[in-house]
Amino acid sequence: MNFLAHIYLSFGDDQISIGNFIADSIRGNKYKHLPEQIQKGIMLHRKIDTYTDAHRIPKMSSKRLHKNYSHYSMVIVDIFYDHFLAKNWAKYSDVPLDVFVDRFYDLLEDNFEILPHGVQHMMPYMITDNWLYNYSKMEGIGRVLNGVNRRTKNKSKMNFAIIDLEEHYDEFEQEFTDFFEELRVYAKQKFISL
């Protein structure tokens, strides 16, 4: 799952949200200096990723993309799934998406000093371009795919994946919906057991 899903699956705990958000920037066990709840968020993120990577439904979505994008296909699925979460946000949360993301941006700004350097560098762009909210729009997903493609020095060709999303929109959305129900249950159990 991508940023929005990880934040959502922190179940309203600010410190776990931070850990869940920054986890991809933390290698190995280089998080032991962080507050305990942030450490728990990092561990929750890793459990969510392991579950997602092994689950048959995201694998099915990834298989549809594999011919064109090879090992980048699962990254694309993560981005697509965040689009469907944002688009259908009211189904999953009573807090409007714009309010949810603004609160999270405020949380990042309030905790800037403990964020990894890479996240500190990325954060202003994320907030200025309102990535999390704009996941709900096709143009927003297009910009994300273009950005990730640039970071791979155009090797991934992920900028073309927006075409795949348009062509198979209903299938991807149904797969997300089916998978996310199971993921929410799994993540909640892991959250409670942290």
Side-chain angles (χ1 to χ4, degrees), residues 31-105:
Y31 57 86
K32 298 294 186 183
H33 64 287
L34 294 168
E36 185 180 354
Q37 286 298 98
I38 292 178
Q39 291 184 40
K40 288 180 179 180
I42 292 166
M43 299 313 297
L44 178 60
H45 178 109
R46 292 175 178 178
K47 289 180 186 305
I48 289 168
D49 279 359
T50 299
Y51 180 82
T52 300
D53 290 346
H55 197 284
R56 64 181 177 75
I57 296 176
K59 282 183 176 179
M60 196 166 35
S61 296
S62 177
K63 187 174 182 183
R64 191 177 297 115
L65 299 165
H66 196 268
K67 185 177 99 177
N68 293 330
Y69 307 103
S70 186
H71 62 279
Y72 296 106
S73 59
M74 198 60 185
V75 176
I76 296 168
V77 169
D78 287 345
I79 294 167
F80 287 2
Y81 282 12
D82 255 17
H83 164 66
F84 293 116
L85 174 57
K87 176 192 167 213
N88 299 299
W89 185 259
K91 177 179 174 181
Y92 301 105
S93 178
D94 295 332
V95 178
L97 181 59
D98 60 336
V99 173
F100 181 88
V101 300
D102 284 346
R103 284 181 189 161
F104 184 71
Y105 295 151

Side-chain angles (χ1 to χ4, degrees), residues 138-153:
M138 290 294 278
E139 314 87 74
I141 292 301
R143 281 194 296 277
V144 170
L145 292 166
N146 279 317
V148 178
N149 182 58
R150 278 193 306 277
R151 285 196 291 283
T152 68
K153 297 183 174 42

Side-chain angles (χ1 to χ4, degrees), residues 4 14 116:
L4 185 61
D14 286 350

Side-chain angles (χ1 to χ4, degrees), residues 10-27:
S10 298
F11 304 100
D13 185 301
D14 286 350
Q15 297 294 291
I16 287 183
S17 294
I18 292 171
N20 212 338
F21 175 71
I22 67 172
D24 282 335
S25 300
I26 308 284
R27 297 291 166 238

Side-chain angles (χ1 to χ4, degrees), residues 1 57 60-61 64 77 79-89 91-92 136 138 164-181:
M1 303 306 290
I57 296 176
M60 196 166 35
S61 296
R64 191 177 297 115
V77 169
I79 294 167
F80 287 2
Y81 282 12
D82 255 17
H83 164 66
F84 293 116
L85 174 57
K87 176 192 167 213
N88 299 299
W89 185 259
K91 177 179 174 181
Y92 301 105
S136 65
M138 290 294 278
D164 298 89
L165 178 58
E166 290 166 347
E167 286 180 3
H168 302 283
Y169 196 87
D170 292 340
E171 295 100 315
F172 283 122
E173 184 165 24
Q174 189 60 57
E175 288 159 5
F176 162 77
T177 302
D178 294 345
F179 170 64
F180 202 63
E181 288 307 312

